Amino acid sequence: MKYIMALIALTLTLNTFAQNQSTLPKKLEKKVDKIFEDGGWKMPNTPGISFAILQDGKVAYKKSFGASDIENNVPITSKTRFNLARTSAYFTSYAILKLITENKTTLDEDVRKHIKELNNFSHKVSIRDLLNGSSGIYDFYVLMSINGWNPTDNFSQKDVLTLVSFQKQAAFVPGTDYSLSGTNFVLLAELISKISGKSYKQYMEENIFTPIGMKDTFVRTKANRIYNNVAKAYRTIDKEIVANDSKNEILGANNIFSSIEDMILWEKHLSTSEGQHKKIIQLMDTKAQLDNGRINNTNYGNLTLGQLYGHKERGVFSTYIVGSSGGHDSSIFKFPNQKYVAIALSNDGNGYNGYTGVIAAHRILETHFTEPETVDFSKIQTKKLSINKLQKFEGQYWDPLGELSREIKVINDTLRYVRNSNNASALIPLSENRFQMKVQYDDKIYILFPKDKPDAMIFEYAGAEQIPFEKYIPKVFSDDELANNFNGYYINKECNITFSVKTRDKALILTNSKVGDIKYSPIKSNVFLGDKWFMQSIEFKKNQSGKVIGFYVKNNAIRNLWFERVNLNSVLKKASM
């Protein structure tokens, strides 16, 4: 048996070398190779990466590094399949837009017509709203976590649709704001099935994968089923590599598996533009915008209906999409005008492999960039400000939707943007109230203190929409004050989730049997910051008598999820029913 396993491993290794290819000049090839060497991808018998670069529609570089299965020392090849995670939405958007160009539906059709779980939803939601990220429907990943699900738990499409059916009120009127929500693509997968009369899996295989020739690509509907040539998912905990596979069965937003060979075919397919396909590509490239015409201009870039974000990288327009699920990560970075595409698929659970495609572009497209790799702060014209003027900006600032608390502080005669005690960035004064953040790379980040709003701070990143922060004085409570004001039981009636709130060491502890403890420290008199990503901040509400009657969970993915304060007897009675 050992001999057979060794022979298999040797054969796969030889195949890997045979499948690796590069038409780049040797000097450039070595520079790209070094990206993976420096990133630790070439370490023996460790999780790895499959990577490709297309230039002018042709493969310029295609190599795989590391192990698909470290227990059996099976190498990654160009045929190894990975979960594309959120990059699955790239295909889902293509599929629904294909149905639209075939006149089987429209961008403005009300989704509630097809999906019964939305029958009680308070507003019309269009397909356009789902693609734009402007539906006002809560993100299922956050809802699942609040319900006590772990990322590695087995949960299904049906579970997500059940959660969707609980939401009656939109987070905002659809079409009037943006909110990141994976639920949009679960609903799009359902729509594809309802409109086509086929399952999502069948439709994708018959209308996209097979016609393009993507033989290694499939939709995973059963998490426990064993599929051939799928990379095992890993992550590193305390320097130990452990299995980290996601067991969810979510469709539309996740669970399309593919290889680097097939993703090359996909990108080649997208580069053609004839007949009906040309109409699909035009829709894919259309910028997402609200009913009032406002473009979705986020820190990530401008979102398109095809789910790629567009922004300028060192002065050159680029687009990208990234995904992460369990230990599988995917990314596609493009420089459309230079006809450059970089695709990365990996299984090491680091969460972001897209830098490989960007750095490779810096090497290969070196002469195309109009801005340097790093900002030369010595060439920036600065404004000399006294320590007294700098100290006027000092204080704590709060971003409610981003759930961020940041400190502005003078350290060693320099104003700094403080994330924590070990992470602070210098702010270079450009004027009396505008600063540029000193960063290591080419990012241009500005901090503005509006003259007409002395208690505000504005965060600007690379021309994206401004993020407002509000200045606050941290609130300190005694244990008695916390207990008297906030202790008790709180329930979200739609999802039937109950948390108890108690006091410990000048902090609030929210707990239930599924989620465990979440520790909250006061930010303001009614706002508390927690230590769990899915409920990172809560905002308490009081009645006219000053008594706390409940709290909201507020963030970009969940807006105003209400937990009402109730007495213990009513909770126990409901639990026994």
Side-chain angles (χ1 to χ4, degrees), residues 417-480:
Y417 180 90
V418 182
R419 299 172 187 85
N420 55 56
S421 58
N422 299 316
N423 190 345
S425 299
L427 298 177
I428 311 302
L430 305 179
S431 69
E432 293 282 345
N433 65 327
R434 184 175 171 83
F435 297 77
Q436 184 168 351
M437 189 180 296
K438 194 169 185 179
V439 295
Q440 186 176 358
Y441 298 106
D442 64 316
D443 294 328
K444 293 181 180 178
I445 301 172
Y446 302 95
I447 300 295
L448 173 68
F449 299 94
K451 291 182 179 180
D452 59 338
K453 296 179 180 178
D455 291 331
M457 178 182 78
I458 303 296
F459 183 98
E460 298 178 356
Y461 173 73
E465 288 182 7
Q466 295 179 334
I467 300 175
F469 283 71
E470 54 192 41
K471 196 173 188 177
Y472 70 94
I473 297 174
K475 179 70 176 177
V476 178
F477 289 97
S478 68
D479 281 347
D480 286 342

Side-chain angles (χ1 to χ4, degrees), residues 245-273:
D245 191 19
S246 170
K247 295 296 184 183
N248 76 65
E249 297 167 356
I250 305 305
L251 306 181
N254 202 344
N255 284 315
I256 290 180
F257 283 67
S258 191
S259 67
I260 204 72
E261 289 279 6
D262 275 9
M263 292 304 292
I264 289 170
L265 292 175
W266 166 248
E267 286 301 327
K268 285 183 176 181
H269 173 69
L270 293 182
S271 67
T272 62
S273 56

Side-chain angles (χ1 to χ4, degrees), residues 355-368:
Y355 75 89
T356 54
V358 177
I359 297 176
H362 289 176
R363 307 293 176 262
I364 295 171
L365 304 176
E366 187 174 4
T367 60
H368 293 267

Side-chain angles (χ1 to χ4, degrees), residues 187-352:
L187 297 177
L188 284 170
E190 291 299 301
L191 279 173
I192 290 166
S193 177
K194 302 286 186 184
I195 293 168
S196 69
K198 300 178 180 180
S199 70
Y200 173 79
K201 175 182 173 68
Q202 184 182 3
Y203 180 86
M204 300 301 283
E205 289 174 350
E206 293 180 0
N207 293 274
I208 298 178
F209 305 151
T210 299
I212 297 174
M214 300 173 70
K215 297 179 180 179
D216 297 323
T217 305
F218 66 95
V219 176
R220 183 180 73 172
T221 57
K222 298 294 181 184
N224 294 322
R225 179 180 169 184
I226 297 174
Y227 295 89
N228 294 328
N229 208 18
V230 169
K232 287 189 176 181
Y234 301 95
R235 66 171 172 161
T236 302
I237 301 177
D238 296 330
K239 298 182 179 182
E240 182 181 357
I241 299 172
V242 298
N244 189 45
D245 191 19
S246 170
K247 295 296 184 183
N248 76 65
E249 297 167 356
I250 305 305
L251 306 181
N254 202 344
N255 284 315
I256 290 180
F257 283 67
S258 191
S259 67
I260 204 72
E261 289 279 6
D262 275 9
M263 292 304 292
I264 289 170
L265 292 175
W266 166 248
E267 286 301 327
K268 285 183 176 181
H269 173 69
L270 293 182
S271 67
T272 62
S273 56
E274 297 177 354
Q276 178 197 333
H277 181 62
K278 181 177 181 179
K279 295 179 181 179
I280 301 173
I281 299 304
Q282 288 174 339
L283 286 172
M284 293 274 282
D285 292 340
T286 300
K287 287 183 179 180
Q289 62 181 32
L290 300 178
D291 292 347
N292 63 6
R294 180 165 69 89
I295 299 293
N296 187 358
N297 186 19
T298 71
N299 285 348
Y300 302 107
N302 299 129
L303 181 67
T304 65
L305 298 188
Q307 301 313 298
L308 270 67
Y309 283 100
H311 75 126
K312 284 192 174 181
E313 173 74 21
R314 293 177 53 198
V316 180
F317 179 71
S318 67
T319 62
Y320 71 96
I321 187 171
V322 297
S324 180
S325 181
H328 284 169
D329 304 295
S330 64
S331 69
I332 301 172
F333 272 83
K334 306 184 186 187
F335 290 86
N337 296 330
Q338 287 70 36
K339 296 182 178 179
Y340 169 97
V341 179
I343 310 163
L345 309 174
S346 59
N347 67 331
D348 69 349
N350 281 337
Y352 178 65

Side-chain angles (χ1 to χ4, degrees), residues 86-135:
R86 187 188 176 277
T87 303
S88 300
Y90 197 15
F91 290 85
T92 303
S93 61
Y94 181 94
I96 194 68
L97 293 173
K98 178 174 167 47
L99 289 169
I100 287 170
T101 62
E102 293 169 348
N103 298 317
K104 295 178 180 178
T105 184
T106 68
L107 277 172
D108 295 313
E109 182 166 30
D110 191 343
V111 175
R112 297 177 301 178
K113 174 182 173 183
H114 299 283
I115 300 177
K116 61 180 177 59
E117 285 82 5
L118 287 172
N119 285 347
N120 296 320
F121 198 67
S122 55
H123 295 278
K124 172 190 173 181
V125 180
S126 68
I127 292 175
R128 188 192 306 274
D129 290 326
L130 297 180
L131 290 169
N132 279 348
S134 61
S135 68

Side-chain angles (χ1 to χ4, degrees), residues 14 26 30 59 84 127 141 154 178 195 209 225 296 396 405 433 439 471-472 505 524:
L14 292 174
K26 284 296 180 183
K30 288 181 180 179
V59 178
L84 300 182
I127 292 175
Y141 285 112
N154 185 288
Y178 295 108
I195 293 168
F209 305 151
R225 179 180 169 184
N296 187 358
Q396 297 283 347
S405 176
N433 65 327
V439 295
K471 196 173 188 177
Y472 70 94
D505 299 329
K524 299 191 291 185

Side-chain angles (χ1 to χ4, degrees), residues 29-37 42 61 63:
E29 182 182 355
K30 288 181 180 179
K31 286 184 177 181
V32 177
D33 285 344
K34 195 171 188 307
I35 296 169
F36 300 100
E37 184 175 335
K42 287 189 170 184
Y61 183 98
K63 293 189 180 182

